[in-house]
């Protein structure tokens, strides 16, 4: 993914955001946001407040996201319907990012566009004693979406090459081995019909501080504040490096990574919704044909 594709966003003027002339949807969003396999992205050179390929401003972005609800709902229904006839395809959305980057907000504003009965959501916390007794991918495998479902991971197996690397929870050579294990795991998922959509929510250092301060300023948000977040900020550069390495080594043709600038929440919501729309369009699930005589059933119903 080239820095120029993300670009540096202009500071809002009196008109608010970019002009309509700068374009909206000219290229598939996944081409703009995708991390090229084998290339290490420079997160420091990607503006977290940029809006690559997006609507011209917040109002347009919110409206565009709302307009995605009907096609996303239809695609989800078709995906689930196809599974009743043996289609094993499903979607797994992986959300990673620093604290306050918007994983929870994505669940609320993006996954809220879907029928919840067809979604399988898992927020991964620190591993339990039982989980620590198994290989690191064990607990991930227990939560995978079933055929026809849309799975969402709030954090994921990537924690085992992120915090494990930064905090040196395991030897560095074990962390290095995990990248290849992850790639093999995700390829096996793709081979089994899972469309893996991995999103790194790219938030800026200053924006994170502002969001943490908002939580402190609002007593109703104190439950969301973690004192440990302050300590994590002291190793911000190490986390950025850990993410760059993970994005470089684990963005593959089968399971690419996408970097979504997330300082602007409206853009984050639109971008992830659009990425899901593009991938579901590619799957193109179809309603299965009924294996019964429609006219005979109609006749019997009318006669009953």
């Amino acid at each position: 993914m080239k820095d120029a594709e993300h670009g540096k966003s202009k500071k809002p003027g009196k008109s608010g955001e970019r002009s309509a002339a700068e374009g909206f949807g000219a290229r598939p969003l996944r081409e703009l946001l995708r991390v090229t396999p084998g290339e290490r992205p420079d997160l420091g050179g990607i503006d977290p407040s940029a809006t690559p390929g997006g609507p011209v401003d917040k109002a347009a972005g919110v409206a565009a996201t709302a307009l995605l609800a009907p096609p996303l709902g239809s695609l989800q229904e078709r995906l689930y319907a196809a599974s009743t006839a043996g289609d094993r395809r499903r979607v797994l959305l992986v959300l990673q990012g620093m604290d306050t980057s918007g994983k929870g907000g994505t669940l609320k504003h993006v996954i809220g566009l879907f029928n919840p009965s067809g979604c399988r959501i898992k927020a991964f916390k620190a591993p339990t004693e039982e989980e620590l007794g198994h290989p690191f991918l064990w607990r991930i495998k227990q939560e995978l979406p079933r055929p026809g479902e849309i799975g969402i991971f709030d954090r994921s197996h990537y924690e085992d090459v992120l915090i494990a690397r930064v905090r040196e929870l395991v030897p560095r050579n074990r962390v290095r081995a995990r990248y290849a294990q992850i790639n093999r795991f995700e390829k096996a998922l793709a081979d089994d019909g899972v469309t893996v959509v991995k999103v790194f929510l790219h938030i800026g250092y200053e924006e994170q501080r502002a969001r943490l301060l908002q939580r402190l300023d609002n007593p109703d948000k104190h439950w969301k504040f973690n004192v440990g977040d302050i300590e994590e900020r002291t190793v911000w550069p190490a986390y950025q490096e850990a993410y760059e390495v993970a994005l470089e080594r684990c963005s593959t043709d089968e399971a690419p990574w996408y970097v979504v600038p997330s300082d602007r929440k409206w853009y984050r919501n639109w971008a992830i919704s659009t990425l899901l729309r593009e991938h579901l369009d590619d799957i193109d699930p179809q309603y299965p044909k009924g294996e019964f005589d429609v006219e005979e059933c109609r006749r019997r119903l009318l006669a009953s």
Side-chain angles (χ1 to χ4, degrees):
M1 178 180 55
K2 306 298 185 183
D3 294 347
E5 291 177 339
H6 279 70
K8 291 290 185 177
S9 65
K10 298 177 181 178
K11 296 295 182 180
K14 292 183 179 180
S15 60
E17 307 287 343
R18 303 180 308 159
S19 69
E22 290 186 66
F24 170 26
R27 293 173 58 190
L29 191 64
R30 56 187 178 178
E31 291 183 10
L32 292 175
L33 303 183
R34 179 174 176 167
V35 176
T36 302
E39 290 189 11
R40 181 166 172 172
D42 174 16
L43 294 178
I46 299 174
D47 185 353
S49 67
T51 58
V56 295
D57 56 24
K58 180 177 180 178
V62 171
T65 302
L67 288 174
L68 285 167
L72 284 173
S74 175
L75 286 161
Q76 180 195 21
E77 182 177 78
R78 285 159 47 191
L79 183 69
Y80 185 83
S83 73
T84 67
D87 192 331
R88 291 189 52 79
R89 292 179 297 175
R90 58 267 201 210
V91 173
L92 175 60
L93 173 64
V94 175
L95 299 173
Q96 286 286 161
M98 299 295 289
D99 292 311
T100 78
S101 61
K103 296 179 290 294
T106 298
L107 292 176
K108 178 179 179 180
H109 297 286
V110 176
I111 306 309
L113 301 175
F114 292 104
N115 184 332
S117 65
C119 296
R120 183 176 297 266
I121 301 172
K122 176 62 179 180
F124 287 97
K125 308 296 183 183
T128 64
E129 286 298 321
E130 178 187 15
E131 291 168 344
L132 288 171
H134 294 274
F136 77 100
L137 288 171
W138 178 82
R139 66 173 184 162
I140 305 300
K141 294 176 181 178
Q142 314 308 308
E143 305 295 341
L144 291 170
R146 297 169 183 169
E149 292 184 333
I150 296 176
I152 306 96
F153 284 174
D154 177 346
R155 300 188 187 276
S156 68
H157 42 298
Y158 282 93
E159 293 297 299
D160 293 283
V161 293
L162 293 168
I163 188 171
R165 174 192 173 103
V166 173
R167 294 299 182 180
E168 299 182 346
L169 302 180
V170 298
R172 185 59 65 90
N173 64 341
R174 189 182 302 178
V175 172
R176 286 195 292 267
R178 286 177 175 175
Y179 300 116
Q181 289 177 269
I182 288 172
N183 288 341
R184 290 194 295 270
F185 169 62
E186 292 177 348
K187 184 180 187 306
L189 291 181
D191 290 343
D192 193 38
V194 181
T195 295
V196 184
V197 184
K198 300 183 298 190
V199 173
F200 171 59
L201 301 169
H202 182 39
I203 188 176
Y205 186 71
E206 298 300 328
E207 177 65 16
Q208 188 200 51
R209 177 193 286 119
R211 294 184 185 182
L212 290 173
L213 287 172
Q214 287 174 359
R215 293 179 180 180
L216 285 177
D217 292 341
N218 184 353
D220 292 341
K221 299 295 184 181
H222 285 179
W223 65 275
K224 298 181 70 174
F225 187 84
N226 186 340
V227 177
D229 291 343
I230 302 175
E231 173 63 24
E232 291 293 90
R233 282 175 61 78
T234 66
V235 288
W236 182 279
Y239 270 110
Q240 298 300 291
E241 180 183 24
Y243 269 111
E244 288 179 352
V245 173
L247 296 175
E248 173 189 10
R249 298 189 182 182
C250 296
S251 189
T252 63
D253 290 334
E254 296 82 8
W257 270 104
Y258 301 97
V259 176
V260 174
S262 298
D263 277 9
R264 301 176 193 263
K265 297 177 182 179
W266 65 265
Y267 175 78
R268 174 203 70 203
N269 296 337
W270 173 83
I272 298 175
S273 299
T274 299
L275 287 172
L276 288 171
R277 167 74 185 274
E278 290 179 358
H279 283 85
L280 283 165
D281 277 339
D282 272 359
I283 295 173
D284 191 25
Q286 300 297 316
Y287 291 112
K289 295 182 178 180
E291 297 181 355
F292 49 83
D293 188 322
V294 175
E295 292 307 317
E296 172 62 14
C297 290
R298 186 190 310 276
R299 185 192 63 77
R300 292 175 58 189
L301 278 172
L302 290 173
S304 64

